Amino acid sequence: MEYNFKAIDAKWQQYWMENRTYRVTEDAGKPKYYVLDMFPYPSGAGLHVGHPLGYIAGDIYSRFKRHQGFNVLHPMGYDAYGLPAEQYAIQTGQHPAVTTEQNIRRYRDQLDKIGFSFDWEREIRTCDPGYYKWTQWAFAKMFHSYYCHDRQQARPIAELTGIFGQQGAKGINVACTEELSFTAGEWNAKTEREQQEILLNYRIAYLADTMVNWCPALGTVLANDEVSEGLSVRGGHPVEQKRMRQWSLRVSAYAQRLLDGLDTLDWTDSLKETQRNWIGRSEGAEMEFKVKDSAFRIQIFTTRADTIYGVTFMVLAPESDYATMLVKPEHRAEADAYLEAVKRRTERERMADRRVTGVFTGSYAINPFSGEEVPVWISDYVLAGYGTGAIMAVPAHDSRDYAFAKHFGLPIIPLIEGCDVSEESFDAREGVMTNSGILNGLTVPEAIRRARDYIRENGIGRVKVNYRLRDAIFSRQRYWGEPFPVYYRDGMPYTVDEADLPVELPEVDRFLPAETGEPPLRRAKDWTYKGYPLELCTMPGFAGSSAYYLRYEDPRNGSAPVSPEANGYWRNVDLYIGGTEHATGHLVYSRFWNKFLFDLGVVRDDEPFKKLINQGMIQGRSNFVYRIKGTNRFVSCNLKDRYDTTEIHVDVNIVHNDVLDMEAFKSWSPDYASAEFILEDGRYICGWAVEKMSKSAYNVVNPDMIVEQYGADTLRMYEMFLGPLEQSKPWDTSGIEGVHRFLRKVWNLFVSREGSLDVSDGAPAPQELKSLHRAVKKVTADIENFSFNTAVSAFMICTNELQEQKCNKRRILEPFTVLLSPFAPHLAEELWHALGHDESITGAAYPVASEQYLLESSFTCPVSFNGKTRFTIELPVDMDAETIEATVLATEGARKWMDGKTPKKVIIIPKKIINIVI
RNA sequence: GCCUUGGUGGUGGAAUUGGUAGACACGCGGGACUUAAAAUCCCGUGGGCAGCAAUGUCCGUGCGGGUUCAAGUCCCGCCCGAGGUACCA
């Protein structure tokens, strides 16, 4: 009987649903294992074949772990807040909640057809009030916390106000936006409003002025890619840099812990390195330069204190506070014009256009080492957001300073013996110092240390660690996101009482900003709390996705984000699978968020994701037809050079193995109904290219179509067979037949042509046992190494061998079925029940490879002379090295090659190779 | 520029981490079954040379060197592709 995958898929998907086969509960009697897939944003386009790649891998691993006796938590949900639904809502008036719900239903439908073992009773959606209650709750906790550097921990803000009341801000070592100093008396004398303003400087969730792209005409903040040449892309209205009060999260406070935590994680080195670069720790010195004839001191940060004698000018960031203060009256007009010009450019434009620009302030600073006077300039190559917003410029040893000095004709003093700075700067940190006063004769690393000591001893500055990681801006002027649990009294933010959470997203008449230019929530009726106005912004996308893994552990808990019991059992994620695109965003925010909850005592683990696998992207493989210009004739790919043609994308779904289905093409579009073809070998061959999967390239392949044509198990196995999990690769169906053929072979091993189960209870032959156990060993090792493509090969080899041996023994086929079940659960379940089992195969014990069946009595081994392989010899496995040597040397073959000489050396690697040097 | 990757047949990719390079699959060629097709099964398939043949032999993992009895794998110097990232002082 034929392998009827359609009936099998449908039968068991229904069975799993009705029997709640994949429901899990905490079970202290079993070890736990938590497998998490990055949850999807349910887009209107539905799933394409690239999406399930990671999910299939996660599902195979989950099922594998279940067979091994683990209690596996393998949930799924939806990252439901997002921009596309809101844009769609603005255009059509359709409520984002409605479209999101539709999309989720489509996703669920598609996912169900692939046969995943998700526990759907634990499903979460970030837009559910029951879910975002805890997003708001965490935010409120961050608002009520500060970060104590001494204890390396978030602490309640009340603790800080207590300290302020007793000793003021003196001597505290806490994370803050700006170093403040006040006494206890001064603190106690402040009004409530003043105190609240000061606390924002310390809160982990805080309001602060940040630079944003503001478009007055549209009344909204724009992202960098929505702005071009100072104008909004939509409408062409002017955009300016504006300081705006925005919510931020003090992620930077956790920089060191985020860095240190990486060492404990089982992530790829490349991903850890990406995070290290993102955090960007740099050790250096902060020091002060006095300004000539002024009380000002310019504070700078440098990692190259050793180059201090090469400072020939100073540069201030245009946005820094110093910039306006140090401008002398005679330079005022020029400087103002420059600052105005800079203000009009977005950050993106500044990056794209690397022209050297700047303006002299008229002020001079004094080098604290040499006492020399150097001019102070303003330039936009210095960023206000990093370090102190001011630098000492050493053109000889910094390429950016070099370009600036060359452009404005400033002096360049080389400091390293023998370096050539006539064409470019010498940035390398090596060599011996010269022209450097007290540092002369030292190597660069020595000089860095010596200079730092000098700075400290003479009170010029201090050693400091800087991080590139910036606080996360947390406000969005949008509708479709979590509302903040925040109201304003006397202009100051306060949080909504915990008992009144969640603050539900209100209804609005339209999803656009209000006429006042305020965010869409301004349109909501009665948007107040206790008579006070509520916050109008909503939270960004990463708010809901930062701690979602926790909520799966206890999804319906109404009184805590997760109960101590549930978290105590499930702990953190053992295996997390998702794309690399989240390497710096989601994976940094999640770790930050989790560390904060850890400090609160809500979670037991400091890191959320122990092991992480990045699945590669599946790209599209587009097909082309070639139309002869000015005609409706199409020429096959290999003949196209004989004509003048236009390349046209053709829907990949009407092309099979690059051969065009010409009838389907004619009916694809009315334009081609009368198409004529110039064929090669009677076929029309299409050209192809690898591109991103997109509607416009007509290369989107839906999993549904593959499932329809070949069944879910073929899709699952083929996606794994396509290549290494972590590698990006184009979707190409040309090999899918091979995988499908394999599943049919498996079916035929069990079932006779007439359709009856054809399995015998006889004792298996040694060869059959060997085939099985070799597969068990290989497949198990491959799953553990996430090498699923080679595991599929191992299945094929085993099946070919069993088929060749005409094996129909129950004692072989039964363990084989369990082995196959993670990859092809539908087929495995069908065969398992056919073999007489009543329970789902999900609970079956995983087979164990026994070496006993793998052992051979002898092995063949190549023998080489002077590195050249000459013959192969068969030897017993248990022979010791000495006997092997004697046996080999006694053979006729060896005597022939040695030609009477005695061997200089014999190298024997047991069971592998014998190498004889004559 | 910097960081991270990768480069193996006509194609996707294997190679126990230094031990018979090309597993497995696709494609292609040949054959069996069939009135025929589909399906299925069997054989061949990196390249050159020699041979009727079994087979032998040389060359082959981006390029050039090196270490080693032995290199796709390790070391040095290049070339090319992919991804990430950037006036971060």
Side-chain angles (χ1 to χ4, degrees):
Chain A
M1 194 174 70
E2 283 280 298
Y3 164 46
N4 184 353
F5 54 83
K6 270 188 199 173
I8 293 172
D9 286 0
K11 179 175 167 188
W12 298 110
Q13 281 167 14
Q14 176 151 9
Y15 172 91
W16 295 327
M17 196 177 69
E18 282 169 0
N19 289 279
R20 301 162 96 188
T21 306
Y22 302 119
R23 194 165 63 117
V24 282
T25 50
E26 290 82 81
D27 177 354
K30 272 187 180 176
K32 72 96 186 184
Y33 200 90
Y34 188 172
V35 179
L36 182 64
D37 298 299
M38 286 186 187
F39 64 168
Y41 171 76
S43 84
L47 288 175
H48 65 65
V49 289
H51 290 113
L53 183 74
Y55 303 158
I56 294 168
D59 198 58
I60 288 171
Y61 204 77
S62 300
R63 289 173 181 272
F64 168 70
K65 279 285 176 185
R66 259 182 222 123
H67 286 305
Q68 288 195 325
F70 287 86
N71 194 24
V72 177
L73 177 57
H74 186 216
M76 184 46 84
Y78 304 97
D79 188 11
Y81 278 131
L83 222 47
E86 178 153 351
Q87 301 289 33
Y88 189 73
I90 291 170
Q91 284 160 22
T92 62
Q94 175 92 275
H95 197 290
V98 175
T99 43
T100 302
E101 174 66 35
Q102 285 169 356
N103 294 345
I104 284 176
R105 232 174 272 162
R106 170 101 197 274
Y107 267 59
R108 176 65 192 275
D109 201 48
Q110 290 182 298
L111 289 170
D112 280 348
K113 281 188 180 146
I114 304 172
F116 290 113
S117 62
F118 297 127
D119 178 1
W120 283 108
E121 292 175 39
R122 289 174 183 264
E123 180 197 295
I124 55 161
R125 300 174 184 193
T126 54
C127 65
D128 270 350
Y131 178 89
Y132 67 67
K133 172 178 179 178
W134 301 105
T135 310
Q136 294 176 342
W137 179 88
F139 174 85
K141 290 286 179 194
M142 288 180 197
F143 180 80
H144 291 292
S145 302
Y146 76 104
Y147 193 83
C148 175
H149 281 311
D150 287 334
R151 301 173 73 159
Q152 284 282 298
Q153 195 183 32
R155 305 291 306 167
I157 199 90
E159 212 176 83
L160 190 67
T161 53
I163 295 168
F164 288 162
Q166 285 180 7
Q167 58 179 78
K170 202 170 167 54
I172 55 168
N173 184 17
V174 303
C176 57
T177 312
E178 201 182 334
E179 304 263 355
L180 302 176
S181 79
F182 49 81
T183 63
E186 284 168 339
W187 169 260
N188 291 325
K190 289 185 194 297
T191 62
E192 156 82 9
R193 198 192 134 86
E194 285 167 338
Q195 288 187 346
Q196 287 298 322
E197 184 65 44
I198 287 171
L199 287 177
L200 287 175
N201 192 50
Y202 299 98
R203 294 182 191 275
I204 288 179
Y206 64 97
L207 269 178
D209 287 337
T210 0
M211 287 304 235
V212 293
N213 299 315
W214 174 253
C215 179
L218 296 174
T220 185
V221 165
L222 297 174
N224 278 336
D225 56 340
E226 294 172 313
V227 184
S228 165
E229 291 172 19
L231 301 174
S232 66
V233 172
R234 286 186 187 193
H237 306 290
V239 176
E240 60 189 46
Q241 291 289 294
K242 187 180 169 189
R243 270 177 195 279
M244 269 184 82
R245 238 178 176 217
Q246 304 262 307
W247 284 104
S248 293
L249 301 186
R250 209 176 295 284
V251 180
S252 61
Y254 283 80
Q256 191 59 49
R257 274 172 67 189
L258 288 169
L259 195 60
D260 293 340
L262 289 173
D263 296 332
T264 68
L265 298 175
D266 186 6
W267 295 10
T268 60
D269 290 337
S270 68
L271 184 58
K272 286 194 208 178
E273 197 56 29
T274 307
Q275 289 225 341
R276 284 196 193 100
N277 291 341
W278 192 258
I279 296 166
R281 180 191 154 102
S282 63
E283 253 174 76
E286 209 169 69
M287 62 177 130
E288 288 187 341
F289 281 61
K290 286 181 187 151
V291 178
K292 189 187 169 193
D293 303 328
S294 157
F296 281 120
R297 287 153 183 268
I298 302 171
Q299 202 169 50
I300 61 99
F301 174 78
T302 181
T303 53
R304 294 295 303 272
D306 57 307
T307 60
I308 183 95
Y309 289 93
V311 175
T312 56
F313 57 101
M314 308 285 288
V315 187
L316 309 175
E319 300 88 353
S320 83
D321 299 333
Y322 302 118
T324 46
M325 292 189 274
L326 290 177
V327 176
K328 296 276 184 188
E330 61 270 29
H331 294 277
R332 172 68 57 194
E334 204 191 338
D336 284 350
Y338 181 70
L339 294 181
E340 194 54 40
V342 168
K343 198 176 161 188
R344 270 198 300 273
R345 303 175 76 199
T346 61
E347 211 168 312
R348 169 175 259 231
E349 284 175 302
R350 256 166 86 165
M351 280 187 247
D353 175 14
R354 296 281 173 88
R355 265 177 317 174
V356 177
T357 61
V359 64
F360 179 45
T361 61
S363 291
Y364 289 85
I366 297 161
N367 187 322
F369 276 53
S370 66
E372 272 176 47
E373 291 176 12
V374 293
V376 179
W377 288 69
I378 296 170
S379 173
D380 65 357
Y381 83 89
V382 173
L383 306 176
Y386 183 78
T388 59
I391 62 154
M392 61 178 217
V394 186
H397 302 290
D398 182 287
S399 55
R400 295 152 301 177
D401 297 345
Y402 187 89
F404 194 83
K406 280 275 176 185
H407 188 259
F408 288 105
L410 296 159
I412 298 168
I413 308 171
L415 301 174
I416 290 175
E417 278 177 20
C419 72
D420 174 18
V421 294
S422 58
E423 291 298 326
E424 54 180 4
S425 60
F426 182 84
D427 291 17
R429 298 184 179 202
E430 57 194 36
V432 176
M433 307 301 297
T434 183
N435 298 334
S436 291
I438 59 165
L439 303 176
N440 277 332
L442 299 174
T443 64
V444 170
E446 286 166 354
I448 291 175
R449 247 173 284 137
R450 178 77 191 89
R452 278 196 208 151
D453 291 344
Y454 184 86
I455 290 162
R456 204 171 35 229
E457 285 156 15
N458 292 276
I460 300 165
R462 61 194 176 114
V463 172
K464 189 160 182 213
V465 176
N466 246 318
Y467 299 93
R468 205 187 75 113
L469 183 70
R470 294 189 204 177
D471 290 346
I473 297 177
F474 205 62
S475 295
R476 297 290 183 272
Q477 288 74 15
R478 306 280 184 181
Y479 172 74
W480 190 232
E482 299 87 348
F484 281 84
V486 166
Y487 64 95
Y488 290 89
R489 195 172 77 214
D490 198 15
M492 280 294 131
Y494 293 86
T495 57
V496 169
D497 296 344
E498 204 176 311
D500 295 324
L501 294 180
V503 176
E504 291 203 30
L505 186 64
E507 291 304 319
V508 290
D509 53 351
R510 296 176 67 194
F511 306 102
L512 285 167
E515 278 76 17
T516 55
E518 290 167 297
L521 289 191
R522 163 58 71 210
R523 296 172 178 275
K525 284 202 189 87
D526 194 28
W527 187 234
T528 59
Y529 179 72
K530 293 183 176 171
Y532 297 105
L534 280 159
E535 168 70 53
L536 299 177
C537 287
T538 53
M539 298 187 192
F542 70 83
S545 60
S546 285
Y548 74 107
Y549 90 91
L550 263 188
R551 202 56 192 157
Y552 284 129
E553 298 184 350
D554 198 4
R556 309 289 166 247
N557 191 330
S559 57
V562 60
S563 72
E565 295 74 32
N567 183 247
Y569 181 75
W570 294 115
R571 304 292 294 262
N572 53 5
V573 175
D574 293 285
L575 173 65
Y576 195 29
I577 298 177
T580 345
E581 65 272 21
H582 300 107
T584 48
H586 165 64
L587 287 174
V588 171
Y589 298 131
S590 278
R591 294 180 61 221
F592 154 77
W593 201 287
N594 186 76
K595 281 174 190 296
F596 173 74
L597 294 178
F598 174 77
D599 288 353
L600 242 50
V602 174
V603 297
R604 292 260 309 260
D605 301 285
D606 186 39
E607 287 288 344
F609 314 119
K610 275 200 279 216
K611 183 176 175 67
L612 186 128
I613 299 269
N614 283 127
Q615 94 270 18
M617 243 195 355
I618 291 204
Q619 296 138 318
R621 189 176 185 281
S622 315
N623 277 115
F624 301 103
V625 291
Y626 303 91
R627 177 158 66 182
I628 300 169
K629 280 186 182 159
T631 70
N632 212 7
R633 293 173 73 205
F634 295 83
V635 58
S636 189
C637 181
N638 298 309
L639 306 174
K640 69 174 187 291
D641 293 343
R642 301 183 197 169
Y643 304 88
D644 185 15
T645 58
T646 320
E647 190 177 73
I648 300 169
H649 272 107
V650 60
D651 190 340
V652 293
N653 295 302
I654 58 170
V655 177
H656 304 285
N657 294 342
D658 292 337
V659 178
L660 181 70
D661 179 338
M662 288 177 276
E663 287 312 307
F665 179 71
K666 283 183 180 175
S667 51
W668 183 45
S669 157
D671 296 348
Y672 305 134
S674 62
E676 293 170 40
F677 303 95
I678 299 173
L679 309 177
E680 52 182 302
D681 301 333
R683 297 180 304 180
Y684 189 98
I685 309 290
C686 297
W688 61 274
V690 172
E691 298 176 293
K692 208 179 160 181
M693 255 193 207
S694 73
K695 269 186 188 169
S696 59
Y698 297 108
N699 62 359
V700 176
V701 184
N702 286 111
D704 318 37
M705 298 171 57
I706 305 290
V707 167
E708 178 71 16
Q709 210 175 339
Y710 296 100
D713 292 335
T714 300
L715 173 75
R716 291 170 63 105
M717 291 198 92
Y718 185 61
E719 291 224 5
M720 293 299 103
F721 186 65
L722 215 47
L725 183 60
E726 310 204 1
Q727 191 174 302
S728 285
K729 54 233 158 188
W731 178 257
D732 177 1
T733 45
S734 58
I736 201 165
E737 292 286 349
V739 172
H740 190 63
R741 203 168 291 150
F742 154 75
L743 289 169
R744 269 202 309 258
K745 279 184 196 173
V746 172
W747 174 260
N748 290 330
L749 274 179
F750 289 79
V751 182
S752 70
R753 267 176 212 282
E754 294 73 39
S756 59
L757 188 72
D758 178 22
V759 170
S760 96
D761 287 324
Q767 269 307 309
E768 295 168 343
L769 282 165
K770 192 170 154 189
S771 293
L772 171 71
H773 283 262
R774 204 155 45 188
V776 170
K777 191 178 172 184
K778 176 79 173 132
V779 169
T780 308
D782 284 344
I783 293 177
E784 275 161 356
N785 295 323
F786 298 93
S787 176
F788 297 118
N789 55 330
T790 51
V792 176
S793 294
F795 277 117
M796 290 174 174
I797 294 168
C798 179
T799 309
N800 287 342
E801 285 171 0
L802 293 179
Q803 183 187 277
E804 209 167 301
Q805 295 159 33
K806 299 195 165 46
C807 173
N808 67 343
K809 311 278 168 49
R810 171 180 293 272
R811 276 155 65 185
I812 300 292
L813 297 180
E814 207 165 83
F816 181 83
T817 307
V818 179
L819 192 70
L820 183 65
S821 146
F823 290 83
H826 305 84
L827 177 58
E829 192 80 87
E830 171 76 19
L831 297 175
W832 185 250
H833 287 261
L835 286 166
H837 299 274
D838 296 331
E839 300 284 311
S840 166
I841 194 170
T842 308
Y846 199 75
V848 176
S850 172
E851 290 292 334
Q852 150 190 13
Y853 301 113
L854 297 174
L855 280 187
E856 319 239 2
S857 59
S858 63
F859 66 101
T860 54
C861 182
V863 181
S864 65
F865 290 85
N866 291 345
K868 305 276 184 191
T869 308
R870 307 296 178 172
F871 65 92
T872 302
I873 188 170
E874 191 163 322
L875 296 162
V877 263
D878 49 0
M879 195 181 257
D880 60 88
E882 222 167 279
T883 322
I884 290 175
E885 184 176 333
T887 311
V888 171
L889 293 178
T891 57
E892 201 158 314
R895 279 205 299 274
K896 174 183 162 197
W897 293 109
M898 286 190 295
D899 196 23
K901 285 170 269 200
T902 38
K904 280 187 199 149
K905 201 168 160 192
V906 179
I907 297 147
I908 298 169
I909 292 147
K911 296 193 204 173
K912 279 189 179 163
I913 198 155
I914 295 165
N915 216 311
I916 300 171
V917 186
I918 309 165

